[in-house]
Structure formats: structure tokens, C-alpha cells
Amino acid sequence: MITTPARTRIAPSPTGDPHVGTAYIGLFDYVVARQSGGQFVLRIEDTDRERYSASSADAILAAMRWLGITPDESPEVGGPVGPYIQSERTALYRDYAAQLVADGHAYYCFCTKERLAEMRAHQEEAKESVMYDRHCLCAHTAEERADMVRDGVPHVVRMMMPREGSTGWDDLVRDEVVFENALIDDQVLLKADGFPTYHLANVVDDHLMHITHVIRAEEWISSTPKHLVLYQMFGWTPPRYAHLPLLRNPDRSKISKRFGHTSLHWYQAEGFLPQALLNFLALLGWSHPDETEIFPLEELVEKFTFQRFNKTGPIFDLEKLRWMNGVYIRNLDMATLYPLVEPFLIAAGLLQAEPTPEERAFAQACIALEREKVRTLNEYPALVEFLFDPNFTFEDEAVQKWLRPAPAHVKPAFRALLVRLDALPDADFTPEALEAATRAVAEELGVGAGKVIHPTRVAMSGRTKGPSLFHLMALLGKADVAYRLNRALEIAKEDA
Ligand code: GLU
């Protein structure tokens, strides 16, 4: 439990669709900030100009809003330590890089791409570890290097990693982690285009934004010793680090597009509820102290501790997420659920863009009927389509079983039902009255009720399984039910 106000941050790089890994890390950032009474910051790390996409930054912010893990400070809402977009802070990084050079912690390097490639090839051939050989440090004095910079020779700034000792930290998830300094390359801090690298910008910003807890994916673990050395060089106190396990595909490889669904847009389009997705993500690596599986975000905020994190990469089990989503859908009241489903019905062409109140009421009743099986909202159109369309397509299997050829009692049963339903006043077209009528028909024909119920279901929906038959008949209304019974009779006749 973190009790002093923590400042956490998510620092996505806007290079594509908002990633489910960003939601995963962002969730725990949010939780730690809320639990401790601190703040959750969102910073856009857009210093890799080659991979940058402006729409991606907006999409990330929108995805966080959709998920409901909204940052307290971000490019959207601002905050006291902005700007929160790194490309708007480049002058700052240049100043800090210059300070490191002046203090002897970093140096200008003029090596060309070609020279570096050659150096690498040599090192590989000699089976040495591949790292910068400090050529510029040995070949030129500090004054010469400064002169070359003044003369406009293209250059980068490299960090001077100590060659002795080790750098370690007490990770909140992984406990003690230590790296040998000698194995760490002299990282580029400032690139030739004047933009900082991830390492410099990340450390400068985490410091200036007063971040107390850096929660990030395991893949950044080898960056952390570099960052800790930078903190030392600047004389700053580093934050605490928590490296969360990487999400994995079912074959244990790192979660990837190849497996299909890394984009948060996909989850949104499929009709996953943000609350269900968050609940699912919470249980990837972390476990609830009571082993509970379904719990709201507030409960995670209350119960979360890093100690309950597992170090091994959790499998992203989409089937479990679908199940969980179904549970969340069933727990929503209709007033909340229906507006979430309506866009899916409109997109499928079952409703017009601006439904009338009557259309809406009918659609809502359809949704209410089909709640038991549904797992994602985009399953709804296919489930309820038959209710909107009296000329629905019959399932072959259903037709073969009850209509073609129809068992001897089926056509008489439909006819008897038509007569009985016609006699029912509109106001009595209720599930109870419909059930009574159906059972009376069965009795009249001397067959079990199921023998009438099943073919009638096929007549109404084209399927052998589905929601309560009498409720759906009541919803369709007298004229539509009669139409469907007659249509089924026609089909049964064709074969006779
Ligand atoms: N920009 C990095 C990313 O894309 C941030 C990593 C970190 O949290 O330090 O994930």
C-alpha cells in the first residue's frame, strides 16, 4: 500500500494505434496515484521524429478517456509542470545535455554512420561486445570537440557511462536488480537533429515533473541503470521503479499485432466495456487478495499492492476477457446498456441514425431479451436481427428439424395457434396469454408442449435456440407473429 502521495506517469510514444499495453501500464499508474492521494500524469514522448504520428497522440488521449483512467495532468488538461509533449520541450533537453558536457559527464561525438558500422563489424568479428569505442573522446581534446561543434560539424552528445562498478535498484515488482556498468554503452543523449533520445528526455522529464514512481513494462529494464546513472550525474534523487511483466500471446511470445489485437480501437469496435477490460488487465500478473475475479476499479485502488504482482509474463487470454465482458454486460441496467448498444445496431443497419422513440423502445426491448449469451456488444446485431426483420433467413438445421419435412402435428399446430392468437385482444398479447394459448394447442393435438414450442420458435426466429419464446412473441406483436407463422406454414407446405 502506498500511503504518501505518489506522482505516476504514462509516457507513450505516439507511433501508431493506442496499444493495449499502454492501457495496462496506465491502469496501474492510475491506481497508485489514486490510492496514495497523488497524481497521474500523461506525457507524450514524441522525440522519435521518424516514427511520429500526430493522430496517434490524439488517439491515445481519447483511448484513455474511453477507459476512464483519465490523467490529472496531460497535454489535454495541462498542469503545473507542462508542456506535456516532449517535442515542445526540446530547448530544455539541449540545456541539460550541455550541462552534462560541461560537467564532464557527456561528450560530443562526431562519428559518422559509416564509421560506427565499421566499428561494429570489427567488434562482432572479434566477438567483443558491441559498444561505442570512445573514438571521439580519445582522438580530440574537449576544446577541439567544442570548436568542431561551433564550426557546425554534425554531432551527437554521448553519456560517459562509468566503466567500473554496478548500478542497481530495489524494484517494486522484481526486488533487487543489478547491472554491471562496464557492459553498458555510452548512450546517445542528444541526436544530430537536436532531438533528445528517450533516455535523456525521459529522465529530465520524470525529474522536472516530480515523478515518484516509474511504472513501466519489463522491456525497459535495461534502460533503468542508464537512467539511474543520469540521475547521479545530475545530482537528482531517482524515483522508485516497478517493471511490470510483459503481456504475452498464448504461445508466450510478447503480445503482438500478429496475434491480432494490440490496438485499443479493436477492443472498442468489438464492444468490450472499458470496465471489463480494466478488470481483465488488473488480473494480468496481479491477483486480488480474496482471489475475486470480478471487481470494480475502486476496489483495485483499495486493494492494490505491488507485492501481489507475479514476475512472469501473464498470458493475454481473449476468451477470458470475452467471458468477463459478458458478466459486465449482464450487470448493467438497461438504461446504461442500451445507449452503448445502439451505435452497433445503427452501424448494422437495423436502426436509422436518429431512431424515433418507438424504434428505440422496440430496440431496447430486443436488447433486453438477448442478454444471457452475449459477450461483446458487437454480437448484438446478429442476435437480434431476426426481431427487426420478419423475412429473416432460417437456419438450415432448424428448417430440417421442424419444417421440411414438418412432423405431422406442426402445420395443424401453427393453424390452431393462429386461430387462438387472432382471438386474443391486443391488450392480452402478453407472455402469459401466449404461453397459455400454446399449451392449449398442444393439449388439443395431444402432443407435449415442447412439440409446439420448438417449431414455433423456428417460425419466429429461424433458430432452434434463443430467448424466451413467449416474451419474444409478445414483443413482436400480433400481426408480426401471424405473419411469421404463415411464412413458416408456406415453407412447410412447399415440401408437402
Ligand atoms: N516512451 C516509452 C514508451 O513508449 C516510455 C517508457 C517509460 O515508461 O519509461 O513506452
Side-chain angles (χ1 to χ4, degrees), residues 159-162 167 181 184 224-235:
M159 167 183 184
M160 188 131 67
M161 262 312 284
T167 304
N181 290 341
I184 304 174
T224 304
K226 301 165 194 169
H227 296 183
L228 286 167
V229 170
L230 279 173
Y231 276 96
Q232 262 169 30
M233 290 173 167
F234 283 120

Side-chain angles (χ1 to χ4, degrees), residues 243-315:
H243 290 89
L244 304 193
L246 276 186
L247 305 182
R248 302 206 172 262
N249 295 326
D251 68 359
R252 302 215 70 88
S253 58
K254 175 183 158 181
I255 194 169
S256 63
K257 265 197 208 149
R258 186 173 53 81
F259 140 92
H261 314 302
T262 53
S263 166
L264 286 172
H265 289 156
W266 183 82
Y267 295 89
Q268 220 168 340
E270 284 291 293
F272 284 98
L273 303 179
Q275 302 87 324
L277 182 56
L278 291 179
N279 190 158
F280 171 75
L281 291 174
L283 287 174
L284 291 179
W286 187 79
S287 60
H288 191 290
D290 307 335
E291 304 292 320
T292 313
E293 292 228 280
I294 305 284
F295 49 86
L297 185 55
E298 299 77 56
E299 200 170 318
L300 179 64
V301 169
E302 207 179 289
K303 298 278 162 56
F304 178 77
T305 56
F306 281 109
Q307 285 82 356
R308 296 198 64 82
F309 243 106
N310 208 319
K311 291 181 197 52
T312 47
I315 302 285

Side-chain angles (χ1 to χ4, degrees), residues 93-94 96-102 105-110 149 155-160 186-192 195 197 200:
Y93 310 124
R94 281 198 280 273
Y96 280 104
Q99 182 188 322
L100 288 178
V101 173
H105 292 309
Y107 56 94
Y108 298 114
C109 169
F110 308 91
V149 168
H155 62 275
V156 301
V157 173
R158 277 187 193 273
M159 167 183 184
M160 188 131 67
D186 281 357
Q187 299 300 310
V188 172
L189 298 178
L190 207 62
K191 294 179 278 190
F195 271 85
T197 57
L200 178 66

Side-chain angles (χ1 to χ4, degrees), residues 9-13 25 43 45 198 202 206 214-217 219-220 227:
R9 85 324 187 249
I10 183 90
S13 299
I25 303 289
R43 175 175 77 225
E45 298 207 331
Y198 158 68
N202 193 268
D206 281 346
V214 167
I215 301 168
R216 61 186 171 202
E219 63 189 309
W220 301 102
H227 296 183

Side-chain angles (χ1 to χ4, degrees), residues 439-454:
R439 289 188 187 279
V441 166
E443 217 162 287
E444 214 172 271
L445 295 174
V447 294
K451 290 251 157 61
V452 180
I453 290 173
H454 296 309

Side-chain angles (χ1 to χ4, degrees), residues 424-436 470-471 473-474:
L424 273 184
D426 280 349
D428 285 349
F429 211 75
T430 61
E432 297 72 31
L434 288 161
E435 177 164 7
F470 307 118
H471 283 85
M473 288 168 85

